[in-house]
Amino acid sequence: MIIRNSAYGEEWGLLDPKVLERTKNKPPFYDKEAIAPIDLSSIDFQNARDSMGSPNKDLASSSIINKSILIKCENRYIPAIVCRPANKIPTRNACLYLHGGGFIGGNSSTLLNQCRLIAEKANCTVISLDYRLAPETPFPGALHDSYEAVQWIVDHQKYLGFKNSQIFVAGDSAGGNLAVGCGLLDKNGYIKQVISIYGALDLQKVSQTIYRWDYSLYEMNKEQTNFIHTRLNKIMYIANLMRPLYLGQNVVSDPLVSPVYANDFKNMPTVTLIEAEFDYFLPSNRYFANLLKNKGIKCQEIFYKGLDHGFFDRLGYLKQTEEVCVDIANIIKGEKL
């Protein structure tokens, strides 16, 4: 495991100062609220959808071209945005990026600045996909869009401006789940590596998790316990909200819904899991990493101390977000981290 220290150096259990300040400026999210049953009929769904993501900045220092395209899937077209360096045609590599948003929010522009920075740092072509969202399109719609996009991208190298028979697939949160799902489905070997940023790898209820999710799994500074609980509880609540909307009539233990239940890894390429110390999904990511290693799948973990779920959204406001873009770029370039 590669450990990226926080502002506190090698200390554990402390929120990054900027994350702590941000949390203090928001209402607390109590444990009872996080596990309480949700009445979907009382939810302001559009507000929940619109609240996904955080402001971010374009940090690319060279000319990066954006192009909107349509990817032809079976019986439908899926919008996407292609980013690539203006002075590099074709690039050697391509990366499909799958945004987060709990399967119910986000779009191809949500993390476009991150995609542009990765394209610049890796000298590669990055394709940000507008996969279909729940509840309008529940599982497996988003996963089918994502994997069909993988196939289409490999078949359209010249059009997209890259030259390689394999691509990288990356994503954050729900997008990390979809990236891993693409790896599980990749019987044709289209994917060189899956990169999941705090992936939502288990949609199971807390009380039924196979790794027994509990607050005690996290080391917490006593003075910051309530703030850390707030960060964990917010994502627990979102997981409880998105579960029925995304699952529909499907089973939460389906490996393509919750990859922690997978036991067939014959298609899985190399995996990188980028994790955050105070992410609700951290225990599921650690469990999945051990599962992959026990099955003989090459897996590396990059662990960011002091950070929470969603930190990758905050490019230009949190220096570690830029560091993750560099990590991803170095993986794409094949450089040692």
Side-chain angles (χ1 to χ4, degrees):
M1 177 185 289
I2 299 169
I3 297 177
R4 306 290 192 214
N5 285 331
S6 69
Y8 302 103
E10 297 186 3
E11 288 190 66
W12 295 80
L14 291 161
L15 283 167
D16 178 272
K18 288 190 175 181
V19 177
L20 179 60
E21 180 184 5
R22 189 169 180 263
T23 306
K24 285 181 175 180
N25 290 329
K26 294 189 175 185
F29 209 124
Y30 298 108
D31 300 355
K32 288 184 179 180
E33 292 180 80
I35 62 173
I38 297 175
D39 178 7
L40 291 176
S41 66
S42 68
I43 296 294
D44 183 342
F45 178 73
Q46 193 58 50
N47 181 63
R49 174 173 277 179
D50 292 344
S51 68
M52 298 291 181
S54 297
N56 51 71
K57 298 179 181 179
D58 183 6
L59 298 187
S61 58
S62 60
S63 179
I64 304 296
I65 297 171
N66 297 346
K67 180 181 179 180
S68 295
I69 65 168
L70 289 172
I71 291 177
K72 191 177 188 306
C73 297
E74 186 178 353
N75 302 319
R76 65 199 183 283
Y77 287 87
I78 306 298
I81 302 176
V82 181
C83 310
R84 60 175 175 78
N87 61 354
K88 187 75 174 178
I89 306 175
T91 64
R92 178 185 175 191
N93 293 305
C95 176
L96 172 63
Y97 194 85
L98 304 168
H99 66 80
F103 303 102
I104 62 174
N107 56 57
S108 59
S109 296
T110 304
L111 296 181
L112 187 60
N113 288 328
Q114 285 83 337
C115 292
R116 287 171 54 81
L117 187 59
I118 292 167
E120 178 184 64
K121 297 294 185 182
N123 263 321
C124 76
T125 300
V126 180
I127 303 97
S128 180
L129 188 71
D130 260 316
Y131 57 82
R132 291 170 294 170
L133 300 175
E136 296 90 340
T137 305
F139 174 86
L143 181 57
H144 285 175
D145 291 350
S146 301
Y147 189 63
E148 288 179 48
V150 170
Q151 298 171 313
W152 188 90
I153 290 167
V154 171
D155 290 339
H156 292 80
Q157 299 173 43
K158 186 175 181 180
Y159 171 71
L160 294 171
F162 76 97
K163 192 174 182 180
N164 203 318
S165 60
Q166 288 186 308
I167 68 169
F168 294 80
V169 179
D172 64 289
S173 193
N177 172 299
L178 296 172
V180 170
C182 286
L184 291 169
L185 292 173
D186 191 28
K187 62 182 180 181
N188 294 310
Y190 292 132
I191 303 172
K192 185 168 186 179
Q193 186 168 162
V194 166
I195 305 168
S196 172
I197 305 167
Y198 45 73
L201 302 186
D202 188 9
L203 304 191
Q204 184 61 270
K205 295 178 181 178
V206 164
S207 60
Q208 298 176 27
T209 52
I210 51 179
Y211 40 85
R212 299 181 181 179
W213 193 99
D214 190 80
Y215 299 103
S216 64
L217 296 175
Y218 301 82
E219 184 174 338
M220 303 182 197
N221 177 279
K222 289 183 179 180
E223 294 180 0
Q224 295 190 10
T225 297
N226 291 338
F227 299 116
I228 293 170
H229 274 235
T230 286
R231 298 308 307 147
L232 297 172
N233 290 339
K234 179 181 178 182
I235 305 306
M236 186 192 304
Y237 173 83
I238 292 173
N240 291 334
L241 172 63
M242 72 185 181
R243 186 185 304 110
L245 299 176
Y246 179 59
L247 277 183
Q249 300 302 312
N250 295 282
V251 179
V252 71
S253 58
D254 183 329
L256 296 178
V257 171
S258 299
V260 294
Y261 293 100
N263 50 39
D264 181 357
F265 294 96
K266 64 178 180 292
N267 300 324
M268 184 64 80
T270 297
V271 176
T272 294
L273 299 177
I274 298 175
E275 302 162 347
E277 185 177 5
F278 302 114
D279 172 28
Y280 165 73
F281 290 109
L282 176 61
S284 63
N285 276 247
R286 298 305 322 280
Y287 181 92
F288 189 66
N290 289 330
L291 181 61
L292 288 173
K293 292 168 186 176
N294 289 337
K295 296 289 185 178
I297 304 300
K298 188 175 179 181
C299 173
Q300 68 174 342
E301 296 172 83
I302 307 175
F303 187 96
Y304 277 81
K305 289 164 64 174
L307 298 182
D308 58 338
H309 192 95
F311 82 86
F312 190 60
D313 292 355
R314 303 194 283 275
L315 184 64
Y317 299 93
L318 201 60
K319 67 180 180 62
Q320 294 96 324
T321 308
E322 184 176 359
E323 291 172 9
V324 172
C325 290
V326 173
D327 280 339
I328 294 172
N330 287 336
I331 290 168
I332 292 171
K333 291 188 293 183
E335 296 182 1
K336 188 174 181 180
L337 299 179

